[in-house]
């Protein structure tokens, strides 16, 4: 089976997480130029905005890059068509089942890699024609599923015959190796890229990641059906307290509306939503993305030979 670097024609078997409002063309191009697969996160943006991002990304890199479509977005259907018109090479999806779009994407030569958090969805997207899946454990930042990476990755690798890319809880070489040991053919990283020179977010966000400890994250929205892992702050604590007291979705939304933008653009430490994974505690230095990838994959082939016996 192809490893993900061969499938995508990139140097390292690593793809970037589709981080809404964070993964602009600037981050995507930087990741691709450093030898990974960069992704523009469509997030909640409309077609016009994302189209412009794609065109700008092409100016900054001649390497492959992709677009992440967040399926809960009201623009998802229009974005699904637009990526075909713009000749996007790779599409990843999150927060839903992309089944209805896969045939059209495949007919137009796009490499399709849905992000899933269960065996059932992995099997469904494989049947629909997906080229690979990202299995994202609950250690990840942002919107999350139930299972841990440790439990999810081997169950999905047993259940499908397309390559599996592990995500959630991966920030250093030990975790890359563990992912390969579990049967993954590549990794997706998000949190570790937040503390990079190139990541276009407010300095306060980067510093919050750098200062985070192992217990710095908390999950909001468990009761709403859309749990989201963020770094603890005033807003996150208030959210959890209100939701424990039985606050309505509307009351909670007042708190979170626009909160990711407040974190990313304004660095609003009290009222921002600083999405990050449990590995934030492992991320302690600012590096370039090139350095991060070199560190993630240093001597990896020597170790991988030992994994062949598994
Ligand atoms: O999508 C993500 N991470 C995200 S999306 C996001 S934007 C957002 N903000 C607030 C609330 C909701 C979304 C921030 N972070 N990761 C990939 C991922 N996908 N994790 C879990 C899932 C998932 C969940 C359910 C994928 C499919 C799914 O299936 C439902 C179904 O219809 O079968």
């Amino acid at each position: 089976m192809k490893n993900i670097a061969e499938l995508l024609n990139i140097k390292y078997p690593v793809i970037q997480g589709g981080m809404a409002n964070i993964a602009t063309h600037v981050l995507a191009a930087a990741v691709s130029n450093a030898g990974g697969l960069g992704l523009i996160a469509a997030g909640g943006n409309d077609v016009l905005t994302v189209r412009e991002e794609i065109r700008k990304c092409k100016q900054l890199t001649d390497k492959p890059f992709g677009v992440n479509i967040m399926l809960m977005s009201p623009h998802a259907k229009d974005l699904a068509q637009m990526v075909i018109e713009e000749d996007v090479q790779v599409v990843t999806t999150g927060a839903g089942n992309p089944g209805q779009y896969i045939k059209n994407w495949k007919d137009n030569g796009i490499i399709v890699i849905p992000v899933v958090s269960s065996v059932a969805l992995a099997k469904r997207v494989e049947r629909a024609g997906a080229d690979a899946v990202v299995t994202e454990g609950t250690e990840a930042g942002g919107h999350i599923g139930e299972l841990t990476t440790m439990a999810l990755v081997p169950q999905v690798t047993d259940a499908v015959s397309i390559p599996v890319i592990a995500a959630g809880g991966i920030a250093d070489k030990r975790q890359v190796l563990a992912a390969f040991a579990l049967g993954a053919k590549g990794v997706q990283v998000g949190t570790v890229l937040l503390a990079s020179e190139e990541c276009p977010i407010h300095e306060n966000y980067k510093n919050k990641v750098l200062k985070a400890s192992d217990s710095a994250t908390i999950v909001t929205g468990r009761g709403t059906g859309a749990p989201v892992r963020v770094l603890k702050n005033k807003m996150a604590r208030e959210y959890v307290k209100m939701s424990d007291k039985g606050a309505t979705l509307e009351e909670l939304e007042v708190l979170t509306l626009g909160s990711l933008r407040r974190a990313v653009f304004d660095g609003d430490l009290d009222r921002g939503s600083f999405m990050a994974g449990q590995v934030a505690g492992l991320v302690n230095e600012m590096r370039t993305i090139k350095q991060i990838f070199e560190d993630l994959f240093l001597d990896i082939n020597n170790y991988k030979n030992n994994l062949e016996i598994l």
Side-chain angles (χ1 to χ4, degrees), residues 18-20 43-44 68-72 93-98 115-118 121 124 134 136-137 140-146 188 224 226-229 260 275:
M19 302 173 284
N68 172 269
I69 300 181
M70 204 277 285
L71 295 167
M72 278 162 68
T93 62
N97 179 357
V115 180
V116 303
S117 50
S118 70
L121 188 56
R124 235 179 289 150
V134 174
E136 193 177 277
H143 177 49
I144 48 171
E146 275 292 328
Q188 175 190 280
T224 67
V228 173
R229 184 181 302 284
L260 180 58
M275 296 185 185

Side-chain angles (χ1 to χ4, degrees), residues 1-4 116-126 131-136 147-167 170 176-187 307 310:
M1 193 195 301
K2 272 189 183 171
N3 108 5
I4 229 63
V116 303
S117 50
S118 70
V119 168
L121 188 56
K123 285 164 93 167
R124 235 179 289 150
V125 299
E126 177 183 45
D131 295 278
V133 283
V134 174
T135 56
E136 193 177 277
L147 296 174
T148 60
T149 300
M150 184 76 98
L152 181 64
V153 175
Q155 295 191 69
V156 174
T157 53
D158 283 352
V160 300
S161 47
I162 50 179
V164 170
I165 300 169
I170 300 174
V176 171
L177 207 51
F180 284 120
L182 296 174
K185 299 289 177 208
V187 295
L307 293 180
L310 289 174

Side-chain angles (χ1 to χ4, degrees), residues 12-161:
Y12 298 113
V14 60
I15 77 174
Q16 170 226 309
M19 302 173 284
N21 290 322
I22 297 172
T24 64
H25 68 283
V26 173
L27 184 66
V31 167
S32 289
N33 285 332
L37 183 80
L39 294 166
I40 293 163
N45 291 333
D46 63 15
V47 164
L48 229 74
T49 308
V50 182
R51 198 192 289 276
E52 205 50 44
E53 285 288 310
I54 294 167
R55 293 182 180 172
K56 285 184 190 159
C57 197
K58 285 180 184 164
Q59 305 282 308
L60 296 184
T61 185
D62 54 5
K63 301 272 191 321
F65 69 91
V67 172
N68 172 269
I69 300 181
M70 204 277 285
L71 295 167
M72 278 162 68
S73 163
H75 305 291
K77 203 178 173 108
D78 296 332
L79 290 163
Q81 187 55 41
M82 181 274 290
V83 292
I84 293 171
E85 293 159 15
E86 293 300 315
D87 259 326
V88 168
Q89 299 179 57
V90 184
V91 169
T92 71
T93 62
N97 179 357
Q100 61 175 309
Y101 307 119
I102 293 180
K103 183 174 186 304
N104 199 12
W105 286 334
K106 290 312 305 167
D107 287 348
N108 285 280
I110 295 178
I111 296 174
V112 180
I113 311 180
V115 180
V116 303
S117 50
S118 70
V119 168
L121 188 56
K123 285 164 93 167
R124 235 179 289 150
V125 299
E126 177 183 45
R127 234 178 293 129
D131 295 278
V133 283
V134 174
T135 56
E136 193 177 277
T138 196
E139 298 94 320
H143 177 49
I144 48 171
E146 275 292 328
L147 296 174
T148 60
T149 300
M150 184 76 98
L152 181 64
V153 175
Q155 295 191 69
V156 174
T157 53
D158 283 352
V160 300
S161 47

Side-chain angles (χ1 to χ4, degrees), residues 5 8 36 44 49 51 67 111 129-130 142 162 175 179 181 186 194 223 257 267 282 297:
L8 299 170
T49 308
R51 198 192 289 276
V67 172
I111 296 174
I162 50 179
Q175 293 154 331
L194 295 175
L257 200 68
L282 265 182
F297 296 103

Side-chain angles (χ1 to χ4, degrees), residues 230-231 233 235-236 258-260 262-263 267-274:
V230 297
L231 293 170
N233 66 353
M235 195 201 73
S259 61
L260 180 58
R262 282 200 292 275
D268 184 339
L269 290 169
D270 282 344
R271 296 172 60 245
S273 168
F274 294 85

